[in-house]
Amino acid sequence: MSPQQRKPSGMAAQTVLQQRAIQKQQDEKDSRQSKAGKADKASGGDGGIQAGARVQPQHMPAQHLDKPGSEAELELAPRFLAPDYQGSCKLQNKVALITGGDSGIGRAVAVLFAREGADVAIVYLSSTKDAEHTRECVQREGRRCLLLQGDVKDSAFCEQAVSETIMELGGLHVLVNNAAFQEHAQDIADLTDERLDETLQTNIGGYFRMARAAVPHLGRGAAIINTGSVVGLRGSAHLLDYSATKGAIHAFTKSLASNLVDKGIRVNAVAPGPVWTPLNPADSPADKVAEFGLHTDMRRAAQPEELSPAYVFLASPVMSGYVTGIVLPVTGSVGAI
């Protein structure tokens, strides 16, 4: 019998048995996971990672919306109420002004701000039905909600929005710049001057105008929160202008933070990954919408209620009084920055 054919004996034999037992356990686990994966694929599952307070939807409907997109028209209603989030007066008697607050992330932020004790003013472009629903949700939290319809590309409107907020709600302590325009393009040649102007003037111009209008009325302890994006951190081949504005928002955030730090006004940004709001179904074709978020490490899009607590953190002086000039990634992936 050759050395290769000899049976192990003693301790060696025991080691072989132990190793084979370990191997068998892993083989059985692999087999179970393989079967589960096949069943998941057969049922249309994408294996999205669930790490939050409740299980979130993994599949987005293949749906395309007309711009600017209405949350009421989405086949899968975005989750924004955060039922597991309990308020603790982090923004008690504050007043917040939120642009793009009628739906999506803005609506979710409005609800949690109200749950933390703030009155909220909502700036929206045209989706009155969405805005009214947001107001109802804020009022159910026991706080006041002012609706302000207009375009953040209009300097006069931005000034008016701030003035009406202060007049109706008694002050201004938090500004959330969140309104956005997004339209994909396959080639830079598709970016006409008209399209470029709409994206730039809404996304970064609107942030400048609202901040310019608000800053004279903000006191020590106030906060400005800008909505950036993961594509402002890593770029996007088909969102050239949108990505550029989001990168500009991140730079604007840091620059304005430096400008206002001596006044005790903090300026920060949140950089979301893919979030289920009307923005993307009003941009991408239906088949692309069905794949929305699957490229993240968590293999699913976020729901708005998974973003809104980050805004509470950055708005509340008792939570982030020593935080300014940051871009906080909430992207569902590792290595966002």
Side-chain angles (χ1 to χ4, degrees):
M1 181 178 295
S2 66
Q4 288 83 4
Q5 293 174 321
R6 292 174 185 165
K7 293 182 180 180
S9 59
M11 185 177 292
Q14 186 63 35
T15 298
V16 169
L17 292 175
Q18 181 175 337
Q19 291 178 350
R20 288 178 179 172
I22 293 171
Q23 181 186 37
K24 182 180 179 181
Q25 289 176 350
Q26 187 60 49
D27 287 346
E28 291 173 350
K29 183 178 181 180
D30 291 345
S31 178
R32 290 194 299 270
Q33 289 178 337
S34 177
K35 290 178 181 178
K38 290 178 181 178
D40 191 48
K41 289 181 179 179
S43 64
D46 61 22
I49 305 301
Q50 303 290 343
R54 61 172 176 162
V55 175
Q56 301 290 358
Q58 299 181 13
H59 311 290
M60 303 299 105
Q63 183 181 14
H64 184 66
L65 298 178
D66 292 333
K67 285 190 180 301
S70 171
E71 190 153 321
E73 296 176 3
L74 286 174
E75 294 173 9
L76 176 65
R79 292 184 172 187
F80 64 91
L81 287 173
D84 298 290
Y85 183 101
Q86 296 186 21
S88 55
C89 302
K90 298 180 184 71
L91 297 171
Q92 192 65 33
N93 296 325
K94 303 288 187 184
V95 175
L97 173 58
I98 305 172
T99 70
D102 54 312
S103 62
I105 294 172
R107 172 186 281 180
V109 171
V111 169
L112 285 202
F113 277 14
R115 195 170 299 169
E116 290 292 357
D119 294 325
V120 182
I122 299 296
V123 168
Y124 70 101
L125 182 63
S126 62
S127 301
T128 301
K129 183 176 181 180
D130 283 347
E132 290 176 345
H133 183 51
T134 301
R135 179 171 59 187
E136 292 171 2
C137 293
V138 168
Q139 290 173 339
R140 282 201 292 268
E141 300 290 340
R143 305 305 302 190
R144 295 177 292 169
C145 184
L146 174 66
L147 300 185
L148 301 165
Q149 184 175 5
D151 190 343
V152 295
K153 298 198 305 293
D154 180 355
S155 294
F157 167 72
C158 294
E159 295 282 351
Q160 178 185 344
V162 169
S163 296
E164 289 192 26
T165 298
I166 294 170
M167 181 175 62
E168 296 293 332
L169 300 180
L172 182 60
H173 307 94
V174 182
L175 169 66
V176 178
N177 279 316
N178 178 68
F181 174 81
Q182 173 185 309
E183 180 63 28
H184 67 282
Q186 296 298 319
D187 193 283
I188 193 171
D190 296 332
L191 297 176
T192 63
D193 286 349
E194 180 183 33
R195 182 189 293 198
L196 192 60
D197 188 63
E198 184 68 22
T199 307
L200 293 173
Q201 291 302 326
T202 300
N203 296 5
I204 183 64
Y207 283 31
F208 265 92
R209 294 183 192 93
M210 288 302 307
R212 186 175 63 195
V215 164
H217 305 280
L218 298 177
R220 189 168 301 276
I224 297 174
I225 308 171
N226 298 321
T227 299
S229 173
V230 66
V231 300
L233 299 171
R234 59 171 172 77
S236 172
H238 298 144
L239 294 172
L240 296 173
D241 52 342
Y242 180 82
S243 298
T245 62
K246 290 301 180 176
I249 288 166
H250 298 165
F252 172 56
T253 296
K254 296 179 181 183
S255 300
L256 188 61
S258 295
N259 184 266
L260 296 179
V261 67
D262 288 343
K263 296 181 179 181
I265 301 171
R266 297 177 299 106
V267 186
N268 294 290
V270 177
V275 187
W276 183 239
T277 74
L279 185 68
N280 285 280
D283 173 15
S284 302
D287 60 331
K288 295 295 184 183
V289 174
E291 301 173 357
F292 186 57
L294 298 183
H295 65 281
T296 66
D297 290 351
M298 288 196 169
R299 301 192 293 279
R300 65 174 180 85
Q303 293 295 314
E305 67 184 21
E306 296 180 279
L307 270 294
S308 48
Y311 289 78
V312 172
F313 167 71
L314 293 174
S316 172
V318 301
M319 297 183 72
S320 58
Y322 199 58
V323 178
T324 194
I326 71 161
V327 177
L328 176 61
V330 188
T331 64
S333 291
V334 176
I337 56 174

